[in-house]
Amino acid sequence: MPEPAEDVHARAVAAAGESGRLPASAVSDWEVFPWEAEDGAVVPARLRAPADEPPRWGESPDKPCGACAGFDPDRVVWEDDVWVLTHHGAPSGMPLVLVLHTREHLDMGELDDDQASQLGRITNRLVRIIENLPHIGRVHVDRWGDGSAHFHQWFFARTARLPQIMGSYAVEWDDILPPGPEDVWRADLHLVATKLANWGGDARA
Ligand SMILES: [Zn+2]
């Protein structure tokens, strides 16, 4: 079962050391990071001039589609004929981070009505399954779509009772907090995969 907030907090405090601050995550070096330091204060970055957007993965010969190249079987949590649910290969700061992909190279907006209704059902089941695990506060469902052109939807489960970790900031804390134990994470993946397979498809985790 996922760890209680006290365990997550104790690991973060131990990793932070005397300063009490964990290291900045890689996200703070990304070009899109919206904050910067100025005269000791955190201020919004200056908005750069309009420019052409770079191709996404799957939109250019230089950036082939990773999903169409095949899913790493070691990362597949659950799958059926249409959908593949994956993890990132190792625990991270949040108790569970999963990504649901179509097998077919489709973007959001291109699903037919059957696929769209399947997406709604799988999303609803996954959220219910994960939110019913102990110590899970919420599952955030996110579709960004700016990195890869192949449909993928994120599920970020956050720990309950850590009041700073709310809303979209859970995504940033996922990179900041030290990862939890792998055996706990794998047991939770197995539970989620098995429960989701009650409605069809195959559990792989
Ligand atoms: Zn693709």
Side-chain angles (χ1 to χ4, degrees), residues 98-112:
L98 302 176
V99 188
L100 182 67
H101 319 254
T102 47
R103 286 193 186 279
E104 195 180 341
H105 188 93
L106 296 168
D107 204 349
M108 185 67 135
E110 296 176 344
L111 307 183
D112 65 27

Side-chain angles (χ1 to χ4, degrees), residues 65 67-68 105 150:
C65 180
C68 285
H105 188 93
H150 192 119

Side-chain angles (χ1 to χ4, degrees), residues 1-6 8-9 11 92-98 126-127 129-142 154-175 177 185 188 192:
M1 83 175 64
E3 298 174 296
E6 285 74 10
V8 175
H9 181 254
R11 182 168 53 251
S92 55
M94 293 298 107
L96 283 176
V97 179
L98 302 176
L126 256 183
V127 169
I129 290 167
I130 300 172
E131 286 191 353
N132 276 331
L133 296 175
H135 312 306
I136 297 294
R138 194 92 55 218
V139 178
H140 299 305
V141 180
D142 302 302
W154 296 80
F155 296 81
F156 284 90
R158 69 159 175 83
T159 304
R161 299 176 54 252
L162 289 171
Q164 285 156 291
I165 300 177
M166 288 280 169
S168 62
Y169 294 104
V171 177
E172 295 187 43
W173 280 104
D174 183 49
D175 285 333
L177 290 175
W185 176 72
D188 292 336
V192 169

Side-chain angles (χ1 to χ4, degrees), residues 72-136:
D72 178 349
D74 291 340
R75 297 187 178 196
V76 174
V77 177
W78 168 93
E79 60 185 331
D80 69 8
D81 292 343
V82 181
W83 304 93
V84 182
L85 183 69
T86 64
H87 59 67
H88 277 353
S92 55
M94 293 298 107
L96 283 176
V97 179
L98 302 176
V99 188
L100 182 67
H101 319 254
T102 47
R103 286 193 186 279
E104 195 180 341
H105 188 93
L106 296 168
D107 204 349
M108 185 67 135
E110 296 176 344
L111 307 183
D112 65 27
D113 284 353
D114 278 349
Q115 292 163 333
S117 68
Q118 288 170 20
L119 172 64
R121 290 196 291 271
I122 294 169
T123 299
N124 192 53
R125 287 167 192 156
L126 256 183
V127 169
R128 182 168 64 232
I129 290 167
I130 300 172
E131 286 191 353
N132 276 331
L133 296 175
H135 312 306
I136 297 294

